Amino acid sequence: MVIHNYTKEDVRRIAEAENVQFLRLMFTDLYGIVKNVEVPISQLDKLLDNKLMFDGSSIDGYTRIEESDMYLYPDLSTWMIFPWGSEHGKIARIICKVYQSDRTPFMGDPRNNLIRILQEMEALGFSNFNIGPEPEFFLFKMQDDGTITHRLNDHGSYFDLAPVDLGENCRREIVLELEKMGFDVEASHHEVAPGQHEIDFKYADALHACDNIQTFKLVVKTVARKFGLHATFMPKPLANVNGSGMHINMSLFKDGKNAFYDEKDPDELSETARYFLGGLLKHALSFTAVTNPIVNSYKRLVPGFEAPVYVAWSDRNRSPLVRVPVARKNSTRLELRSVDPSANPYLAIAVILSAGLDGLKNKITPAEAVDRNIYEMTNQELKDNGIDILPTTLNSALCKLQKDDVIKKALGNHLFNNFVEGKKLEWNDYRKQVSEWERQKYFEMY
């Protein structure tokens, strides 16, 4: 997607020429849920002058009620007109930064926090952290009255075509809508599990990549409803099939060149790439609570369903946590395969980048690549190769997070404290539940 450096006058001119009548002012809460304040076009000047306020006390992870007045500062580079509108005119979206009443950036805003980490990256001499996400989702049928069912829309599998893949028309419409909005869609296909789909779009700098992920989710859900379908980014909505991931492809750039590439190295990987990889592997157990943030995330992170559970890397197979795709030169990148689409992208990229930068600062050398199928290794072989296993529950992931000062710093005090508090409440609520599996397994036996 082309990033436009719009001025205030550009936005005013486009809004008038395109008959924009409503503005959707978007931002993201602590848990990655897109929030928006919709205002009529008459409020455009107020918005552009950074004078539009909202009540932050009702947003998860934001502020207490006694300090709730907050400002929305528009990022003009995110100005975009939705392909759909209403009988009253078109709707434009603009993503906003959240500021406190004293006009200072609010560090409980995940987007502001990512900007802070990107500034730390720039201080080390890097210009860009490019991100290419691969989000997956499921499509379920809806009843005529809008009730969501647990019935899949198809029973296709990897790369299947119609008529097996009944979601093809929906997926095609999503692609068309994304392209109208400026997305450069690279691939669209049915995934491994029934009802599961993937749409890949071109990489962008970290901040705008996160913006794109949030916009992508909104478009997918909106278009799916037009087809009588519910799109969910829940990592594991069905047992005994593959879950949905959001693999993150990443690369650092410096002076316009990919800092991960070194033509003189036998593997064409630079020292920068290796140290960054070392940081990722060192902090993987700790940042998992952020990249896989819900109870359900850990139903996906189990052996046998292609999701990585072992902290290792390879350039040949897909069982480790990090893969190095074969492309080189400006396409040289690392692919982190554990992230799932329930993650708040701004928080996820902040902790991933901070982990990698720690590897650079401290020259953390990764272990040797593991080029055999790790799923087939015995426990002793895993131990001999120094391969850790990712946390198996949200609670164990939170414990790892709380012990890692680098990842805690990546979130900042406000986000870290609110995130851990909220997730502990989620875990404790889950612990109180009795599942149907438990009843079937134990009710008669005991």
Side-chain angles (χ1 to χ4, degrees):
M1 179 186 290
V2 177
I3 306 301
H4 297 281
N5 294 316
Y6 289 124
T7 65
K8 293 181 181 180
E9 287 307 313
D10 290 333
V11 170
R12 290 188 181 100
R13 174 178 49 79
I14 296 170
E16 182 176 1
E18 296 291 334
N19 189 32
V20 173
Q21 293 300 314
F22 291 94
L23 304 171
R24 185 169 289 179
L25 315 179
M26 292 172 48
F27 56 100
T28 298
D29 75 6
L30 174 65
Y31 303 122
I33 306 303
V34 176
K35 303 293 183 179
N36 81 99
V37 177
E38 189 165 285
V39 298
I41 194 65
S42 61
Q43 299 297 301
L44 179 59
D45 285 340
K46 190 175 181 180
L47 172 69
L48 294 176
D49 291 336
N50 299 330
K51 294 180 179 178
L52 204 62
M53 301 190 77
F54 77 105
D55 177 8
S57 65
S58 58
I59 306 299
D60 281 335
Y62 270 44
T63 64
R64 297 170 296 183
I65 194 166
E66 64 268 24
E67 47 190 33
S68 60
D69 291 336
M70 314 193 86
Y71 288 96
L72 291 173
Y73 279 35
D75 181 338
L76 301 187
S77 69
T78 67
W79 168 267
M80 178 186 291
I81 299 174
F82 287 120
W84 59 84
S86 71
E87 56 186 298
H88 304 294
K90 294 181 180 179
I91 302 169
R93 82 96 204 259
I94 191 161
I95 295 174
C96 298
K97 295 174 282 187
V98 180
Y99 275 62
Q100 299 180 105
S101 58
D102 63 359
R103 298 288 184 173
T104 58
F106 173 53
M107 295 319 298
D109 172 9
R111 196 173 189 271
N112 281 345
N113 182 69
L114 176 56
I115 292 172
R116 175 178 68 88
I117 303 302
L118 290 169
Q119 290 169 346
E120 293 181 8
M121 173 200 75
E122 291 167 0
L124 294 175
F126 298 99
S127 56
N128 269 340
F129 185 46
N130 285 344
I131 296 296
E134 300 177 13
E136 298 170 340
F137 57 93
F138 280 83
L139 292 174
F140 289 87
K141 293 180 180 179
M142 298 177 67
Q143 296 179 352
D144 292 340
D145 63 0
T147 302
I148 299 169
T149 75
H150 294 160
R151 291 183 290 118
L152 292 168
N153 74 295
D154 69 69
H155 295 283
S157 58
Y158 202 52
F159 287 126
D160 274 350
L161 294 173
V164 175
D165 178 4
L166 301 180
E168 184 182 16
N169 289 338
C170 176
R171 202 171 61 234
R172 184 183 295 119
E173 183 72 15
I174 291 169
V175 170
L176 291 174
E177 296 295 305
L178 289 170
E179 290 184 331
K180 289 176 186 176
M181 298 171 73
F183 278 74
D184 187 352
V185 177
E186 296 184 329
S188 165
H189 60 85
H190 198 290
E191 259 297 337
V192 175
Q196 187 184 33
H197 306 265
E198 180 178 320
I199 297 174
D200 301 330
F201 42 92
K202 191 174 181 179
Y203 68 87
D205 67 274
L207 188 64
H208 289 98
C210 292
D211 293 341
N212 291 344
I213 290 169
Q214 297 298 75
T215 302
F216 171 80
K217 290 181 178 181
L218 178 64
V219 173
V220 168
K221 286 180 174 290
T222 300
V223 173
R225 290 188 74 89
K226 289 172 56 179
F227 285 82
L229 299 170
H230 170 69
T232 180
F233 291 92
M234 178 181 178
K236 188 86 166 184
L238 299 170
N240 302 315
V241 298
N242 286 20
S244 290
M246 186 171 68
H247 300 168
I248 298 294
N249 294 271
M250 66 194 82
S251 54
L252 278 174
F253 272 69
K254 186 175 187 177
D255 300 326
K257 296 181 180 179
N258 191 328
F260 283 178
Y261 174 65
D262 183 355
E263 64 179 0
K264 298 178 182 178
D265 182 81
D267 297 319
E268 297 182 289
L269 286 179
S270 69
E271 190 175 67
T272 296
R274 294 185 187 278
Y275 288 154
F276 196 97
L277 172 60
L280 288 180
L281 298 177
K282 177 181 177 180
H283 296 287
L285 301 183
S286 307
F287 64 58
T288 295
V290 180
T291 57
N292 306 83
I294 65 176
V295 167
N296 182 256
S297 296
Y298 299 86
K299 304 297 177 72
R300 168 181 169 260
L301 295 178
V302 294
F305 296 98
E306 295 191 11
V309 296
Y310 301 110
V311 182
W313 74 281
S314 175
D315 57 359
R316 297 182 183 178
N317 75 76
R318 296 170 186 263
S319 61
L321 178 70
V322 180
R323 186 174 74 95
V324 183
V326 295
R328 288 297 184 266
K329 296 187 177 179
N330 266 1
S331 297
T332 307
R333 63 193 187 273
L334 306 178
E335 179 189 40
L336 180 64
R337 299 173 57 79
S338 60
V339 187
D340 73 52
S342 70
N344 181 328
Y346 302 103
L347 296 187
I349 299 305
V351 297
I352 289 168
L353 177 55
S354 290
L357 293 181
D358 184 58
L360 289 174
K361 294 173 188 174
N362 293 292
K363 297 184 178 181
I364 300 172
T365 302
E368 292 297 317
V370 179
D371 295 325
R372 56 177 290 197
N373 189 341
I374 304 179
Y375 296 129
E376 296 178 353
M377 286 186 177
T378 65
N379 288 336
Q380 186 60 47
E381 287 175 317
L382 292 174
K383 184 178 180 180
D384 292 342
N385 284 273
I387 298 174
D388 286 325
I389 300 175
L390 290 178
T392 57
T393 67
L394 177 59
N395 185 57
S396 59
L398 289 171
C399 291
K400 295 292 185 181
L401 170 63
Q402 290 175 279
K403 296 177 181 178
D404 191 322
D405 289 338
V406 169
I407 304 304
K408 288 165 65 176
K409 185 181 177 183
L411 296 173
N413 288 334
H414 185 106
L415 287 167
F416 170 76
N417 290 331
N418 281 276
F419 181 84
V420 170
E421 180 183 3
K423 290 301 168 180
K424 282 185 174 179
L425 289 173
E426 181 179 339
W427 174 253
N428 286 332
D429 186 46
Y430 172 69
R431 288 177 61 202
K432 298 173 187 176
Q433 306 304 311
V434 178
S435 68
E436 185 60 31
W437 181 90
E438 292 170 276
R439 281 187 286 267
Q440 292 180 357
K441 183 77 173 178
Y442 305 123
F443 189 71
E444 292 186 16
M445 184 183 300
Y446 295 99

